[in-house]
Amino acid sequence: MITLAEVLASAPMLAADPLLRSNVPGTLERAVRWVHSSEVLEIAPLLRGGELLLSGGETLLALGPKEQEDYIRSLSARHVAALALQTAGQPAALPEQLIAAADRSGLPLIELRSVAPFVDIAEAVNRLVVNEQAAAHLVVDDASRQIARQITDRGPHLPTILELLATALEAEVSLVAPDGVLLGHAGNAVDDAGSRAMAGIVVGGQLAAQLTLRSRSDDPLLLELAADRLSGILALALAQAFRPTPAQVADARLLESVIEGGDAATIRHLWLQAGLQPGQAAVMAVFRTESRDANFSAVERALHMRGVHVKSHLWDGERAVLLALPRTGARAAREALIRAARDAAAGSDTCGAFGPNVSEDFRAHDSYVEAQEAMRLGMPAAGEVADAMDLLGRRILAAVPDPAFMDSYVESALGEVLEWDRKHGTALMATLLCWLDSGCNTTASAASLNIERQTMHKRLSKIQALLGGDDLRTSGRLLGIHIAAAAAAAGPVPRRPGRTP
């Protein structure tokens, strides 16, 4: 395991004069799986976790406090090892609100006070990482070959397969059915002091078992790689013992048709085959988990307890969930399901998103598409569940085919505020959007921006004066202003002709 302490002590990193600015417990012991450099603010979805991200910082530091915190939060949600920002040549050190945001999100923040080529840092560290990963791949590849040979020559005998795996990984191996029954165990018992990795073993789209690997080593790399790579071959071994029931097959066919956008007649036919009532309302949700279904069962149990029909299916690494709702009270039922999912996911590595309700069963695909968009736009962190209804404004903006379409509306609605920010270097636009996103809650938005409530009132008064003096909440223009503010935050708006910055 290459730790952040080792990276900071490397010669190329020392040349950058690094200073740890955040106060996140266990920072120096964090594993670094890769070093990546980028100035792209939307980089989080492209990361897999464990990266040390290097950035010149100029683009990030030009943002308002809320946008900076959103960026920090997005990296933390992807389990990035640390963010290193270069301040050499910058007029000031890292702002305190950025450091506070990193502490709140649990993201180690490093200030690079001297100029050093990022490529030198990346090459030096990534060379060590590749060597370590190559060794782990050799172990897992050898275990995979042994298990495949066992299945081919002697059949899928689980005790032998698990013993092979325990010996190859020097780990404790257990396989447990979804109902908690132990299917197999091998290796000496390991306490919680070491590392652990889990994976859901899926057969025919259904969770057949949960694999748990435990090792005395503090480095989880080998176990995580094994859990990810060997779950497929273990599924082959389980396939002969695990036979989906007709009901499970019907559920899988219905979910696959909904996900792929099947025609109305097919979905209605499969809907009845799956034991659902015709004409029901529905909502779709999607969930992801680092442990590949190991923690999703708690969320699924919570949804079942709400008294609705729940159908789930593994699809492209995500768990797609269909919830059939009563026509009467569908909105309240959906809200209760979201609350239950959020309570169950809290503190776990599972995140998810709910699409909007649809009034007809055959339109469930529409809800699935919006649940996927809510995952993309909301970027829920581990333990969080996003609601597509909270992201409606951003979804509308994302659906506009021509980004320039909004420019004239933004300039017309908020030109004076934009101009004031340009001339005075203020962040009134970010303040306005934060206040609008909070439901015009001054106290909550002040806390989100980490400013005094009185300061928030002053900013809002200035915004109100710039926009004509009317109370925005009673002006009848609140929706248009909110959409325009969100559009302004999404991209630059051309300056007014004849105006200077």
Side-chain angles (χ1 to χ4, degrees), residues 1 29 31 33 192-196 215-221:
M1 176 174 66
E29 290 75 38
R33 300 291 174 80
D192 292 334
S195 56
R196 181 182 70 167
S215 170
R216 290 185 176 84
S217 170
D218 292 332
D219 186 359
L221 172 63

Side-chain angles (χ1 to χ4, degrees), residues 139-156:
V139 173
V140 174
D141 287 344
D142 184 60
S144 180
R145 284 192 292 270
Q146 291 185 52
I147 294 172
R149 191 178 302 115
Q150 165 67 30
I151 294 175
T152 302
D153 296 344
R154 298 181 177 84

